[in-house]
DNA sequence: ACCTGAACACCGTTCAAGT
DNA sequence: ACCTGAACACCGTTCAAGT
C-alpha cells in the first residue's frame, strides 16, 4: 500500500539504466504512433538495443505500459481522494469519470490492455488497474449514498462502463462527448431531485 | 438496394463450390473458438485447402465475416422494418438496440471489425454495416419524434453506442444487462412522461 | 551483471507452377 | 478455371555466446 509510485527502475549498471530509459522513450513514441500493438522488435531497434534487452527489462507488453502509464493512472487514485472532499458527491463522480475515460484513451488500443489486466492477476498492469477501480468505487459509493446514482452497480461494472466509452470514443473521437453524456445520464437516477410536488410521496 | 441477400456464391466448378463451403464451416468454428483474429492459414489447413484458395474466395478477413454474418446482420434491417409498425416507438427502439448488441457479439472481437468496416468503404462488410446503421436510424428518428429519446443524437452516434456496449459486454458478460440498461436509460429523455402536475408547464 | 546476433515457430501475403 | 507448395517479410520469444 505504501509508496506505490516507486516502480522498479534499475539501479545497477550505468548502461542498463541508460538502455531502460532509451526503451521507454522509444516505446512512448511507437505506442503514440501505432497504438499499443506496435512492434516490440521495432521499439528495441529504434532504441538501439538488442531485443532481448527489451524483454529483460519488460517481460511483457503490459510491463512496458505499466512503466509508461502507471504513474498517470495511479494519479486517478489521488484525484479520487481529493474529490471525496468536494461538496457534491454526484459532481465529484462525473468529474472523475470524465478524467478516467480520458486516461484510458492515452494510446490507441490501450483500453483492451487495461481490461485484460484487470482480469489477469499476473499482469504487471493488474495492481494499477485495480487501484483505478477502487478509486472509482469510493466515489461511486458516496454518490449512491447520496441517492443520485443507480444503486444496482458495483465498481467493476463502473470500470466496464469507463472502458466501453473510452473504447468507442477512441474509434470515433467525434462522438466522445455524446458517449460520455449518455453514460453519465444513464447512471443518474430518475428521481434525483427532492420531490417538489408531493405527488409521488404518498405511496 | 434490391436483393441485398444474394451474396457472390461461386457457381463455377464443382470443386470450387465445395472448397468455398468447406472454408466457411472451418472459419465458423475457428472464429467461434479463437475470435475473429483466428489464423487464416489455420482455417485453410483445417478446410483441407491451400491457403491461396482461401484468399481467392475471400480476399480479406472481412470478406469471410461478411459471408458468415451478412445474412444475420441484414436481418436487423428486416427487424427494424417490422418494429416500425409497432405501437410504441420507444419500446421498438429499445427492443431493436438489444437485438443489435446481441448480433454484434456473435464472435469475440467482432465489434472491432464492424466499426472498422463502417469507416472503410472498401471493406466487404461496409454495406452490411451501413444497412444496420440506417436500420437503426429509422427507429431512432421515430422515437425522437415521439419525444422519448434525446434529440441530439444521430445514427452514427447510435452505432457507436451499440458497439461500445457490445464490446464491453463481450469482455465482461456478467455486466451485459447493466451496460445495456445504462445505455438505454442514458438515451431516454428525462421528461418522458406527460407532465402530470402542471408544475413544469408554465415556462 | 548485462549485453548481442542468430535461430525458432509462427503470421498474412504472394510467387511460380501444376492439372 | 481452379488449384497447390514454396517462398517472402514479418512477428514475439528464446538460444548460445560474448565482454
Amino acid at each position: 500500500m505504501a509508496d506505490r509510485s516507486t516502480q522498479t527502475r534499475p539501479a545497477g549498471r550505468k548502461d542498463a539504466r541508460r538502455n531502460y530509459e532509451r526503451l521507454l522513450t522509444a516505446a512512448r513514441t511507437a505506442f503514440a504512433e501505432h497504438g499499443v500493438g506496435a512492434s516490440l522488435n521495432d521499439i528495441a531497434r529504434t532504441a538501439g538495443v538488442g531485443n532481448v534487452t527489451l524483454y529483460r527489462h519488460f517481460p511483457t507488453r503490459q510491463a512496458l505500459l505499466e512503466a509508461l502509464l502507471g504513474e498517470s493512472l495511479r494519479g486517478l487514485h489521488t484525484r479520487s481522494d481529493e474529490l471525496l472532499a468536494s461538496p457534491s458527491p454526484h459532481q465529484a463522480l462525473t468529474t472523475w469519470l470524465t478524467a478516467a475515460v480520458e486516461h484510458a484513451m492515452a494510446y490507441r488500443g490501450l483500453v483492451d490492455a487495461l481490461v485484460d489486466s484487470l482480469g489477469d492477476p499476473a499482469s504487471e498492469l493488474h495492481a494499477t488497474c485495480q487501484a483505478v477501480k477502487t478509486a472509482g468505487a469510493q466515489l461511486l459509493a458516496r454518490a449512491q449514498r447520496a441517492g443520485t446514482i443507480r444503486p444496482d452497480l458495483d465498481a467493476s461494472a463502473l470500470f466496464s462502463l469507463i472502458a466501453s466509452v473510452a473504447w468507442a470514443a477512441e474509434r470515433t473521437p467525434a462522438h466522445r462527448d455524446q458517449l460520455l453524456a449518455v453514460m453519465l445520464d444513464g447512471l443518474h437516477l430518475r428521481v434525483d431531485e427532492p420531490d417538489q410536488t408531493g405527488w409521488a410521496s404518498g405511496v
Side-chain angles (χ1 to χ4, degrees), chain A:
Chain A
M1 187 131 320
D3 208 9
R4 230 199 246 94
S5 67
T6 308
Q7 277 310 110
T8 54
R9 300 231 162 194
R13 254 164 55 172
K14 195 166 67 180
D15 54 346
R17 168 100 199 177
R18 196 205 50 183
N19 284 341
Y20 180 92
E21 298 297 339
R22 279 193 182 179
L23 283 165
L24 278 188
T25 53
R28 189 160 14 235
T29 62
F31 288 162
E33 191 165 358
H34 304 108
V36 299
S39 161
L40 296 182
N41 281 348
D42 228 38
I43 290 173
R45 202 150 30 227
T46 69
V49 151
N51 53 357
V52 185
T53 300
L54 184 149
Y55 285 102
R56 195 174 337 97
H57 284 300
F58 310 101
T60 69
R61 193 180 293 273
Q62 311 232 344
L64 209 36
L65 287 169
E66 215 300 312
L68 285 176
L69 299 173
E71 199 176 320
S72 142
L73 286 172
R74 271 175 258 109
L76 283 171
H77 207 297
T78 318
R79 190 100 175 80
S80 161
D81 287 341
E82 292 166 9
L83 285 164
L84 278 171
S86 74
S88 163
H90 188 79
Q91 183 56 46
L93 179 64
T94 62
T95 300
W96 186 84
L97 285 174
T98 306
V101 167
E102 204 67 43
H103 275 70
M105 293 172 65
Y107 297 124
R108 197 152 24 95
L110 175 62
V111 206
D112 301 72
L114 296 179
V115 171
D116 287 349
S117 299
L118 193 60
D120 174 19
S123 164
E124 292 88 348
L125 262 172
H126 183 70
T128 305
C129 284
Q130 234 168 6
V132 172
K133 183 176 134 183
T134 63
Q138 302 179 66
L139 291 166
L140 173 66
R142 188 167 78 122
Q144 283 172 328
R145 278 195 301 273
T148 66
I149 293 285
R150 49 166 65 214
D152 65 320
L153 206 90
D154 62 3
S156 76
L158 191 69
F159 193 93
S160 282
L161 274 168
I162 296 167
S164 75
V165 170
W167 180 84
E170 176 189 282
R171 297 306 198 94
T172 53
H175 296 143
R176 197 195 65 160
D177 291 345
Q178 278 193 326
L179 288 160
L180 246 174
V182 169
M183 170 177 79
L184 294 176
D185 229 43
L187 292 173
H188 209 313
L189 268 192
R190 296 279 128 170
V191 280
D192 48 346
E193 307 289 347
D195 183 31
Q196 285 172 285
T197 63
W199 175 76
S201 58
V203 174

